[in-house]
Amino acid sequence: LNVLLAFFSWTGNTRIVAEEIVRCLSPHHKIDVCMIEPRRRRKHLEWLLLSLTPSSKVEILPAIYDASGYDLIILGAPKWSLSCPPMNCYLSRLKGGGKKLAAIFITYGGFDEKRYLNKLVELVEFKGARVKATLLARRKEIRRGEYREWVRMFCERLECANGNTTAV
Ligand SMILES: Cc1cc2nc3c(=O)[nH]c(=O)nc-3n(C[C@H](O)[C@H](O)[C@H](O)COP(=O)(O)O)c2cc1C
């Protein structure tokens, strides 16, 4: 598979999971990693305020927006209040994902993560991609290393989905 892995991570948790996904998939697939980075640094309070506005966006550094050359698009983000502005900006520009396999992983502190994940799944499917695997990793569980097993299962699901695209 030709894989695009695009993720945003502010305090490093989502990045840890992203790196494990790369370790898991890279022996068998070609992966391009795209780190979504805000153009400007912001303090926690500013991020918190922005994250309380649904669909708020902030400008990000150049990223891979054209997914047309990929078979699988994996997106990763932290669960931030109501929205994650750098991810919103990225998703608004992402093109060429129609009919592609997709997967989403979210890291979170401890609440409301499922609703956020579902919203992201809806958005990505609205763009025409088919979400075949999702992963929710709690910050505490990332610190303990428990996420590794889930990442392995997440990657296995994706590889199966690829083999079964007509059956699902
Ligand atoms: C602005 C902000 C808002 C957050 N809102 C939530 C939240 O609503 N629910 C939750 O479970 N965790 C929340 N968190 C915690 C993060 O989701 C969690 O620490 C995540 O793993 C951070 O990912 P990162 O280290 O990749 O940036 C929030 C963190 C920040 C900075």
Side-chain angles (χ1 to χ4, degrees), residues 4-8 14 36 73-77 87 90-91 94 102-106 120 124 154:
L4 171 63
L5 176 96
F7 72 95
F8 169 65
T14 313
I36 298 163
I73 306 155
I74 306 178
L75 300 167
M87 199 61 195
Y90 181 75
L91 288 172
L94 184 64
I104 297 174
F105 63 101
I106 300 291
L120 266 183
V124 170
F154 174 82

Side-chain angles (χ1 to χ4, degrees), residues 77-107:
K79 194 280 181 189
W80 273 10
S81 321
L82 297 175
S83 86
C84 180
M87 199 61 195
N88 294 342
C89 174
Y90 181 75
L91 288 172
S92 72
R93 294 179 184 166
L94 184 64
K95 297 276 169 337
K99 300 205 175 95
K100 302 275 158 93
L101 291 178
I104 297 174
F105 63 101
I106 300 291
T107 72

Side-chain angles (χ1 to χ4, degrees), residues 41-116:
R41 282 175 164 267
R42 286 175 175 81
K43 296 210 167 81
H44 184 269
L45 186 62
E46 207 180 334
W47 280 131
L48 189 60
L49 291 174
L50 281 164
S51 73
L52 290 168
T53 309
S55 315
S56 58
K57 296 185 187 85
V58 296
E59 199 45 58
I60 56 177
L61 293 176
I64 305 173
Y65 296 120
D66 182 6
S68 56
Y70 298 95
D71 311 299
L72 167 64
I73 306 155
I74 306 178
L75 300 167
K79 194 280 181 189
W80 273 10
S81 321
L82 297 175
S83 86
C84 180
M87 199 61 195
N88 294 342
C89 174
Y90 181 75
L91 288 172
S92 72
R93 294 179 184 166
L94 184 64
K95 297 276 169 337
K99 300 205 175 95
K100 302 275 158 93
L101 291 178
I104 297 174
F105 63 101
I106 300 291
T107 72
Y108 66 102
F111 56 97
D112 204 23
E113 69 285 355
K114 287 209 183 79
R115 195 166 61 94
Y116 185 64

Side-chain angles (χ1 to χ4, degrees), residues 137-154:
R138 196 174 175 151
R139 186 168 55 201
K140 224 167 32 187
E141 293 153 345
I142 297 171
R143 306 254 158 87
R144 292 196 203 119
E146 287 165 19
Y147 66 99
R148 288 198 192 93
E149 177 62 14
W150 304 335
V151 166
R152 197 183 57 71
M153 282 156 57
F154 174 82

